[in-house]
Amino acid sequence: MRDDARVVAYARHLDDGHRDGLCSALRGLGAEVRAASAAGSATYDVLTLDVSLPADASRVRPGLSGWCSATGVGAALVPAPVYAPGPKLLIMDVDSTLIKQEVIELLAAHAGREAEVAAVTEAAMRGELDFAQSLHHRVRALAGLPSSVVDDVVARIELSDGAEQLVAAYRDAGHRVGVVSGGFSQVLAPLAERLRLSFARANDLEVEAGMLTGRVAGAVVDRGEKERVLRSEADRSGVPLASTIAVGDGANDLDMLAAAGLGVAFRAKPAVRAASDAALDLPDLDVVRYFSGL
């Protein structure tokens, strides 16, 4: 019996040639294309194909990846539980995913150590450093800063393009959407309130006498904790893991991306792209809603 799935293709512009080429490639891989629909916005086009997979579907995802490499178009093979009717859950990373910046670098700029901290952040996101150790190292650079710098950073936060639309699409459809971050709750809280997120989890910067101590209070939100948050929120919501989507960009997101029904690498590091179910290089998070059929 053939399993149903969807192939969602996305680019700044798609035309009939892309549709015909993708359909031909899928048929060559043994898939049956049953329906097609087009959508999008002023900044991107989306093509959704309902397909029936061959009995041996192992070639479909690599074959789809090859078509993407040849055409420059992004595409995701989406399992049926992700877009089927029923409750859904979206969980996202924050830094360089929900927002355009890395919060700890914005904070470190106030201490004149942005370049140093940015270099450590890059290495950690590539998976070259232990995340918890790298976080403690970077937070030490913040020691002695007044806690008021947090307000300055919050004012500078820029949401990624499409972030508000994506969150609203989930929320308006009655689904849960939230974030889990290796960043800091003091910065995340006002953002979560603004977007009316269902949940938000992050590290706590320790503050004493109105000054940052250079330490994190409590356990670090690392890759294992991110996966645990995904699983606990799915359980709390009554959403099967197979119906969840996780979005992230760094090595700290790998466990969460692997556990979700669809793991999406958003403008991600190469190792994260290689380990994820889908890679979204368009700088627009709103594309993700098409994976879940919203």
Side-chain angles (χ1 to χ4, degrees), residues 145 147 205-213 215:
L145 289 176
S147 60
L205 286 170
E206 187 179 79
V207 179
E208 291 182 356
M211 308 293 285
L212 301 184
T213 66
R215 295 186 294 271

Side-chain angles (χ1 to χ4, degrees), residues 11-42:
R12 292 195 181 278
H13 174 69
L14 294 173
D15 56 31
D16 291 346
H18 292 114
R19 181 198 61 204
D20 295 344
L22 179 54
C23 289
S24 177
L26 289 168
R27 292 187 184 108
L29 295 166
E32 176 188 350
V33 179
R34 296 185 289 102
S37 61
S41 72

Side-chain angles (χ1 to χ4, degrees), residues 41-94:
S41 72
T43 58
Y44 65 83
D45 292 337
V46 170
L47 171 66
T48 299
L49 303 178
D50 288 333
V51 302
S52 293
L53 299 176
D56 179 9
S58 61
R59 294 190 305 127
V60 176
R61 197 181 298 277
L64 184 60
S65 178
W67 181 84
C68 291
S69 296
T71 62
V73 172
L77 179 63
V78 184
V82 173
Y83 61 82
K88 304 179 189 303
L89 175 70
L90 171 65
I91 186 169
M92 293 181 284
D93 176 40
V94 176

